[in-house]
């Protein structure tokens, strides 16, 4: 009887942990699904920009407030090319959260998918340090779309982060200035079973990618296996 009671207590404590882990794994899987759909849109993110991104952030279904000045909040993943100078294969993802204000007229709630390309080591370093305000701590701009980024050189060269959105089937570059990105520490702990910083996960080589990230990593290694940034910019 005592043994049965002890086992019941153990399961009672373990089940919430498993449920939490499942929720985070679903978040990673959803990020992979969203990125796959977006990269299959004709005239989507220019391939030459994708090939020069060191990090990619995917934020599925970011929620915005219903009217006037509304808060926005979303959860997703950040994933990075491996190697000292970002020239290796894509590695394990860290979970991230987007927070910010949406100022203006909004009729009805919205859910928007976002993809952010981090275009240089400086932008990557900013996102790994702490909570980052886009447009202030890291320069951000609406990303150009189409088969190539030709004609948008000024935007591409001046921004550390290029952002894209998809809402109800519409795909466009969009500015997220004023929003903040931060590592979702508690979610990362649930996913990996240890207290780790985003840097530990992405750059430290301290964890293996969870099975839930297989599609996301496989997709990026297929679509953009090689970093085509100017090697001097990665030093």
């Amino acid at each position: 009887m005592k043994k049965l009671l002890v086992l019941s207590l153990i399961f009672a404590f373990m089940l919430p942990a498993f449920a939490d882990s499942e929720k985070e794994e679903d978040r990673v899987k959803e990020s992979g699904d969203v990125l796959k759909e977006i990269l299959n849109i004709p005239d989507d993110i220019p391939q030459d920009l994708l090939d020069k991104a060191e990090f990619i952030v995917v934020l599925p279904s970011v929620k915005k407030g219903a009217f006037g000045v509304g808060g926005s909040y979303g959860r997703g993943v950040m994933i990075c090319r491996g190697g000292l100078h970002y020239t290796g294969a894509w590695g394990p993802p860290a979970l991230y959260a987007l927070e910010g204000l949406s100022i203006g007229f909004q009729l009805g709630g919205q859910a928007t998918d976002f993809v952010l390309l981090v275009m240089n080591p400086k932008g990557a370093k900013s996102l790994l340090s702490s909570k980052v305000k886009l447009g202030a701590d890291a320069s951000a701009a609406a990303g150009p779309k189409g088969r190539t980024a030709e004609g948008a050189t000024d935007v591409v060269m001046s921004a550390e982060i290029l952002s894209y959105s998809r809402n109800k089937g519409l795909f466009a570059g969009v500015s997220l200035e004023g929003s903040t990105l931060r590592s979702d520490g508690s979610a990362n702990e649930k996913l990996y079973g240890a207290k780790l910083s985003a840097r530990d996960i992405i750059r430290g080589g301290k964890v293996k990618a969870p099975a839930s990230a297989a599609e996301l990593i496989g997709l990026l290694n297929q679509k953009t296996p090689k970093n085509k940034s100017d090697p001097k910019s990665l030093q």
Side-chain angles (χ1 to χ4, degrees):
M1 191 70 174
K2 280 185 178 179
K3 194 176 284 186
L4 193 61
L5 180 62
V6 170
L7 285 172
S8 298
L9 288 170
I10 290 172
F11 281 120
F13 282 107
M14 287 176 68
L15 283 174
F18 282 129
D20 280 342
S21 176
E22 268 184 31
K23 185 173 70 174
E24 312 314 324
E25 286 172 6
D26 287 344
R27 182 169 151 191
V28 175
K29 286 179 184 175
E30 187 182 2
S31 297
D33 291 341
V34 164
L35 187 61
K36 183 177 182 179
E37 290 170 6
I38 286 176
L39 292 184
N40 285 331
I41 295 172
D43 294 332
D44 62 350
I45 299 172
Q47 184 66 44
D48 49 345
L49 292 185
L50 196 63
D51 288 339
K52 291 176 181 176
E54 275 75 71
F55 285 48
I56 292 178
V57 181
V58 186
L59 299 153
S61 298
V62 172
K63 303 294 191 299
K64 292 187 178 182
F67 184 82
V69 180
S72 62
Y73 184 73
R75 291 180 173 181
V77 305
M78 184 163 78
I79 185 167
C80 171
R81 295 183 193 270
L84 180 62
H85 298 301
Y86 307 100
T87 54
W90 294 89
L95 299 178
Y96 264 68
L98 175 78
E99 299 159 340
L101 287 176
S102 176
I103 301 174
F105 183 80
Q106 293 180 7
L107 185 60
Q110 296 181 10
T112 305
D113 302 320
F114 289 99
V115 173
L116 283 62
L117 305 184
V118 185
M119 302 305 297
N120 54 50
K122 184 181 176 185
K125 188 177 179 181
S126 296
L127 287 185
L128 287 177
S129 57
S130 59
K131 191 173 184 177
V132 175
K133 188 169 184 178
L134 301 181
D137 302 320
S139 58
K145 61 177 192 156
R147 297 200 178 276
T148 72
E150 287 178 12
T153 308
D154 291 345
V155 173
V156 173
M157 290 192 67
S158 63
E160 291 162 11
I161 298 171
L162 299 174
S163 48
Y164 295 87
S165 70
R166 182 184 66 166
N167 188 318
K168 295 181 180 177
L170 297 175
F171 178 76
V174 64
S175 175
L176 286 177
E177 285 195 3
S179 299
T180 58
L181 270 173
R182 63 170 177 81
S183 173
D184 196 343
S186 59
N188 282 317
E189 186 173 356
K190 290 168 188 172
L191 181 64
Y192 290 104
K195 198 162 187 174
L196 298 162
S197 69
R199 186 179 295 277
D200 289 337
I201 296 167
I202 291 177
R203 302 294 289 160
K206 295 188 176 182
V207 296
K208 290 184 179 179
S212 55
E215 181 175 36
L216 175 64
I217 294 170
L219 174 68
L220 286 171
N221 281 329
Q222 176 194 353
K223 291 279 189 180
T224 176
K226 186 177 179 182
N227 189 341
K228 295 184 180 179
S229 296
D230 180 351
K232 291 180 182 178
S233 72
L234 300 175
Q235 301 302 316

